[in-house]
Amino acid sequence: MDTIKKFRKQILLIILLALVIYLSFDSYFVFIGINSLINAIAVMGIVIISGYAKQLHLGQAAFQGLGAYTSAILMTKLGINFWVTIPLAMIVAGLFGWILSIPTLKLKGGSYLALVTQTFGEIIYVLLLNMEWLTNGSFGISGISAPTIGPIDFTDLQSYFFLCLFFVIVVYIALKRIVKVKFGRFFISIRESEEAAQSIGVNTRKYKMIAFVIATSVGGLAGVLYGPFIGYLSPEQFRWSPSLTLVSMAIVGGLYSLEGGIIGSVLLTFLPELLRSTDQLRMILYGVIVILTLAFLPDGLVSLFGKKPGEIRKMLADQWDMLSDKTIRRKKKKVKAARAAK
């Protein structure tokens, strides 16, 4: 029983993935499932930099674009094998992340990184649009073929779904190991208090750069998988708006948890499709659900895992009291009562 409680997040995550696999037998849901898995890879990168290292990153879609275009150009123009392009695209995305972090992460406060990454996203869009000799500009890159391994062909949706699921599991295990060792402890120390971390000798700038390079490299991997899935790339696919969607997935699922990032990605990718029958109310309902989640579950949906119904009710009631200022009024009454007693 203790073992089950210890690994409850992982068990629930496996159940969630099993549900997605079950839905994969429907071609409509498998398409959405692939999209959710690609999003999950990118969101796990955001969890590392924004959740663990507390640096607000609003440009993950740009690094997805770098990875996607690097892979697509190498495959379509140079004939390089898909599998070889994966590490190359991750290196390109990570290299741009490292270059971007050099001037930005000298400054304290995640707001600077947020502003720079947002601007960087638009710069990448302009470059992809205007470097026609390399990216085909507004015409985009088409004819991106699906990968193969010997006799195994990933052309059909179901096989590509399981390929993406494999990469989600690999990235999850790799990042989980990273956050369990000293890197993760240093990331968390920066999140809790950068000044305190510096006082005990932690090179906070170095570890923020490492977190950012990891996040952007993972974003590049998500981009590599996106190209063969869609079969066509254009600059508009990697503007600022998709980055905001990825951040909202991380926050709703649980910004401080890799499991939460995956859950938020699956939920917010499937939710608009499940609400499609409501026509114009679809995005309104989507927005209401996101707002309610942020209001009552600041640590994301993953904070519900492992809690009994009574504990969940108490947690939601406490959050409601805080939102309605009841907690503050109670504290003021206690202070007044204590002063009156004196």
Side-chain angles (χ1 to χ4, degrees), residues 88-332:
L88 296 177
M90 292 180 69
I91 289 170
V92 169
L95 180 62
F96 272 88
W98 175 70
I99 293 171
L100 191 65
S101 70
I102 292 174
T104 307
L105 294 179
K106 285 183 179 180
L107 304 170
K108 292 183 179 179
S111 56
Y112 295 105
L113 183 65
L115 180 61
V116 171
T117 51
Q118 177 188 348
T119 306
F120 179 75
E122 291 303 305
I123 292 173
I124 291 299
Y125 165 71
V126 173
L127 289 175
L128 293 176
L129 194 62
N130 289 281
M131 295 176 67
E132 296 184 5
W133 59 274
L134 183 64
T135 66
N136 293 337
S138 59
F139 295 101
I141 299 177
S142 58
I144 305 170
S145 58
T148 58
I149 301 179
I152 303 174
D153 190 347
F154 294 97
T155 303
D156 65 285
L157 287 176
Q158 279 195 342
S159 61
Y160 201 76
F161 170 86
F162 287 106
L163 176 65
C164 292
L165 180 60
F166 167 77
F167 276 106
V168 168
I169 294 170
V170 169
V171 171
Y172 171 77
I173 293 172
L175 295 182
K176 200 70 176 177
R177 290 183 65 86
I178 288 173
V179 300
K180 289 290 185 182
V181 297
K182 69 174 184 177
F183 290 107
R185 293 195 294 271
F186 288 149
F187 295 160
I188 294 172
S189 69
I190 294 170
R191 180 182 74 195
E192 298 301 322
S193 174
E194 188 170 345
E195 290 77 10
Q198 288 174 339
S199 70
I200 59 173
V202 177
N203 187 339
T204 56
R205 182 179 171 227
K206 170 186 171 182
Y207 286 101
K208 285 191 292 185
M209 290 176 68
I210 291 172
F212 193 55
V213 170
I214 292 171
T216 53
S217 299
V218 170
L221 173 59
V224 173
L225 294 172
Y226 183 79
F229 168 52
I230 298 298
Y232 169 78
L233 296 177
S234 68
E236 289 77 12
Q237 294 167 326
F238 306 104
R239 299 197 72 176
W240 186 50
S241 178
S243 293
L244 289 182
T245 303
L246 294 173
V247 171
S248 68
M249 290 175 179
I251 294 173
V252 169
L255 190 57
Y256 307 132
S257 166
L258 292 170
E259 296 87 359
I262 296 174
I263 291 166
S265 301
V266 174
L267 177 66
L268 293 191
T269 305
F270 272 89
L271 189 60
E273 299 301 324
L274 296 175
L275 296 175
R276 188 171 290 278
S277 61
T278 59
D279 295 329
Q280 294 181 352
L281 291 175
R282 179 168 64 100
M283 295 312 296
I284 296 175
L285 292 172
Y286 174 89
V288 169
I289 291 171
V290 171
I291 291 170
L292 289 175
T293 304
L294 295 176
F296 290 98
L297 298 171
D299 292 329
L301 293 172
V302 75
S303 63
L304 296 175
F305 292 172
K307 288 186 171 60
K308 297 177 182 178
E311 293 175 330
I312 293 175
R313 283 195 298 270
K314 184 179 183 304
M315 182 177 68
L316 295 177
D318 291 342
Q319 192 66 21
W320 171 254
D321 287 346
M322 188 185 72
L323 292 172
S324 59
D325 289 336
K326 287 183 180 180
T327 305
I328 297 173
R329 288 197 293 268
R330 285 173 187 169
K331 288 181 179 180
K332 286 182 178 179

